[in-house]
């Protein structure tokens, strides 16, 4: 009997040990599967986080536009005490105030007013509009939304400039350029950003040029040219101005170019004009 009990007891221990080993392996499998699931979740989370970033950008765009509208509707004043000047000649004090007229994506258009204090009276000496683009942050998407409406409203004058340009090409025996809608958008964005940044240049505020903007807009080309101008009051005058400039005229009668886009943006009592040419 004792021998039988010992055998049974031994079998019981082996059974417990075997169960323990099986349970340990099962737990390892479960842990291993959970780690793999976590890796997949992390990848999915990374993807969703990226989508979330885009959504946040959209929300920021809306906030910027709301702020933009508020700043346009309300006028505020800022006195720059550090800019006060004293004249040794007549002991007159001068100071400036800045009236905020517009906030265009962080580029502020001010009406800067210079005053003179004479015999205790505040006398307005001069007023000029200035642009501070230090905090300018417009994206291509921001400017494209504005450009879409402008292109639609400027359809007639854009066609007029294309016709004048094609007349100059006809004089030298070249085919007409075809006005291209996407290039109109590109040229109009260039006009807008030059105005908002107060930067009349082929170099954009970020150091790039119109070709980078074309890439952002998915416009394909092998050759591209750009003419810019400001201050002209009509399509006829600006086209003639380009015609009378040697380098601008070269773009207009370049036989490699087949398409043209026009941009016009009116800002701060000025007209910003752009021609974009591609093959």
């Amino acid at each position: 009997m004792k021998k039988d009990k010992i055998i049974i007891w031994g079998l019981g221990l082996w059974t417990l040990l075997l169960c323990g080993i099986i349970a340990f392996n099962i737990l390892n499998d479960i842990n291993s599967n959970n780690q793999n699931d976590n890796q997949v979740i992390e990848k999915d989370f990374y993807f969703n986080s990226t989508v979330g970033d885009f959504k946040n950008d959209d929300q920021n765009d809306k906030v910027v536009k709301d702020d933009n509208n508020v700043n346009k509707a309300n006028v505020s004043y800022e006195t720059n005490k550090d800019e006060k000047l004293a004249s040794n000649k007549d002991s007159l004090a001068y100071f400036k105030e800045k009236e905020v007229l517009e906030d265009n994506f962080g580029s502020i258009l001010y009406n800067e007013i210079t005053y003179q204090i004479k015999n205790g009276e505040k006398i307005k000496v001069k007023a000029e509009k200035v642009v501070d683009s230090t905090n300018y942050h417009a994206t291509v998407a921001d400017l494209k939304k504005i450009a879409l409406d402008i292109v639609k409203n400027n359809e007639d004058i854009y066609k007029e400039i294309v016709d004048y340009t094609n007349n100059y090409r006809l004089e030298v025996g070249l085919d007409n350029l075809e006005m291209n809608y996407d290039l109109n958008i590109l040229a109009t964005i260039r006009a807008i950003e030059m105005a908002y940044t107060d930067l009349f240049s082929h170099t954009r505020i970020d150091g790039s040029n119109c070709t980078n903007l074309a890439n952002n807009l998915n416009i394909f080309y092998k050759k591209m040219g750009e003419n810019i101008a400001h201050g002209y009051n009509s399509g006829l005058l600006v086209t003639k101005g380009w015609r009378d400039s040697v380098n601008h005229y070269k773009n207009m009668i370049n036989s490699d170019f087949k398409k043209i886009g026009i941009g016009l943006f009116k800002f701060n009592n000025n007209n910003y004009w752009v021609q974009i040419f591609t093959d």
Side-chain angles (χ1 to χ4, degrees), residues 260-274:
I260 186 174
I262 308 297
L264 165 62
F265 185 59
K266 300 179 179 182
F267 178 74
N268 192 19
N269 297 322
N270 203 346
N271 295 328
Y272 292 83
W273 305 85
V274 179

Side-chain angles (χ1 to χ4, degrees), residues 194-246:
M194 281 195 296
Y196 282 169
T197 61
D198 194 29
L199 184 62
F200 181 69
S201 172
H202 294 289
T203 302
R204 303 169 66 208
I205 194 169
D206 63 359
S208 65
N209 56 43
C210 61
T211 61
N212 300 86
L213 182 56
N215 294 336
N216 290 335
L217 294 171
N218 295 319
I219 295 174
F220 301 99
Y221 61 92
K222 291 181 180 179
K223 293 184 178 181
M224 177 174 287
E226 177 184 72
N227 286 344
I228 61 176
H230 74 88
Y232 294 90
N233 292 323
S234 71
L236 174 62
L237 290 177
V238 70
T239 312
K240 186 178 184 301
W242 283 323
R243 166 65 179 84
D244 294 338
S245 169
V246 175

Side-chain angles (χ1 to χ4, degrees), residues 35-48:
Q35 288 174 1
N36 289 333
D37 287 343
N38 286 339
Q39 289 175 358
V40 173
I41 290 172
E42 286 175 2
K43 289 179 181 178
D44 288 342
F45 179 76
Y46 178 80
F47 174 78
N48 290 330

